[in-house]
Amino acid sequence: MSHNDRQMNGQHRPNNILDQFELSPARKGKQRLTRLRTAWRKSWEEGGFLHQRWEEVGQARHASWHEVANWIKTAALFGGLSLIVLMLDAAGDITSAALKGLSNVPATSASDGSGLWGMVDHPVRVFLADQAAHLAVAPAALYAFWQLTGLLGLVGGFFGNAGARIAWVLFGIGSLAMIWSAAPAGGRAAATGLSALMWALASIFALRGLTLRPIVHNHPPQYQFSPALHLHATIPAPTPAGDDHGPDNVHPLQR
């Protein structure tokens, strides 16, 4: 028996010229491409894998979080975590660059105390320079951190961030304390008071929309109670027409 006449299921398979030649790589590639196209079309038909996934995506727009498909939840969580990591990395780079740029500004020589802004800025620079002599940090780094805190508090408070507004309040109180401590003794009260007014004017933007009045939400009750009195009375059965004596327990009055 020849090699091509091997048995299959107990029967001899006749020789075929196609058994003697293998398909060329180009022919195999075309067959794979054809199978892929067929599988792609079937997956988009009704009931196919991709068609079902697309239907789940369309339903997710109008469904609650518990009704959304699990794979959509997983993709959303993974994408959200990735976005948070990217934002934190970018925020770290921006903060580092801002601190480095602000640190290049001298701590004491840039302002001589003249003008309204110099009245606020110069005492702060002098106070931070004196305190940095007892700390393991450069005066320029302290001044840069003070500037960055005020900037973030002002911008974040303008957009209604609660944490930024708290930072802005602490920034103003700390600035007034530093001005009171480092300002000349003769003009200390005036410098601190005018600085407080400038901080109050800036707070118009940082604390916009903030109100001390409690917000009361009046919502109608979900269930409305309507009190009503119901009286249940039992009506006796009518007396039959042929019964003239009435009920057994009713007797005529005797004189």
Side-chain angles (χ1 to χ4, degrees):
M1 183 185 299
S2 63
H3 178 69
N4 292 329
D5 292 339
R6 58 184 180 274
Q7 293 182 355
M8 293 186 64
N9 299 329
Q11 299 180 357
H12 296 288
R13 188 181 67 179
N15 293 330
N16 194 332
I17 191 172
L18 295 177
D19 296 336
Q20 302 178 6
F21 301 96
E22 295 183 356
L23 295 177
S24 62
R27 183 78 175 274
K28 290 182 179 180
K30 290 182 179 179
Q31 289 184 353
R32 293 194 188 97
L33 185 60
T34 302
R35 288 196 295 268
L36 289 175
R37 288 177 178 175
T38 303
W40 177 262
R41 288 195 299 268
K42 289 183 179 180
S43 64
W44 280 107
E45 294 177 356
E46 187 174 358
F49 178 79
L50 295 179
H51 183 269
Q52 292 180 355
R53 303 293 83 78
W54 182 255
E55 290 291 332
E56 291 175 352
V57 172
Q59 295 173 0
R61 297 179 300 176
H62 309 287
S64 62
W65 175 256
H66 299 285
E67 299 175 351
V68 177
N70 292 330
W71 70 271
I72 298 179
K73 296 179 183 178
T74 304
L77 291 176
F78 181 77
L81 291 176
S82 301
L83 182 60
I84 291 174
V85 171
L86 291 176
M87 291 177 63
L88 290 177
D89 184 65
D93 295 339
I94 294 173
T95 304
S96 178
L99 288 174
K100 184 178 179 181
L102 293 174
S103 298
N104 294 329
V105 181
T108 56
S109 61
S111 176
D112 56 356
S114 61
L116 287 177
W117 177 245
M119 178 186 62
V120 176
D121 185 70
H122 184 70
V124 172
R125 290 174 182 266
V126 172
F127 179 85
L128 294 177
D130 293 340
Q131 295 296 318
H134 307 283
L135 302 174
V137 62
L142 293 178
Y143 181 74
F145 181 74
W146 176 77
Q147 285 183 311
L148 184 62
T149 303
L151 180 61
L152 294 179
L154 179 62
V155 176
F158 180 79
F159 290 103
N161 184 271
R165 290 180 172 179
I166 294 175
W168 173 256
V169 173
L170 296 178
F171 168 80
I173 296 174
S175 299
L176 293 179
M178 289 187 287
I179 294 170
W180 175 268
S181 177
R188 178 176 300 168
T192 306
L194 292 176
S195 299
L197 292 177
M198 295 174 64
W199 175 53
L201 291 176
S203 298
I204 297 176
F205 301 94
L207 305 179
R208 72 181 187 93
L210 183 64
T211 178
L212 299 179
R213 296 180 179 178
I215 300 177
V216 180
H217 299 279
N218 295 323
H219 299 286
Q222 187 175 2
Y223 301 98
Q224 187 174 2
F225 176 72
S226 300
L229 181 62
H230 300 278
L231 297 178
H232 300 276
T234 303
I235 301 176
T239 304
D243 191 0
D244 297 335
H245 300 287
D248 296 338
N249 58 353
V250 178
H251 303 280
L253 295 177
Q254 299 179 357
R255 297 182 178 178

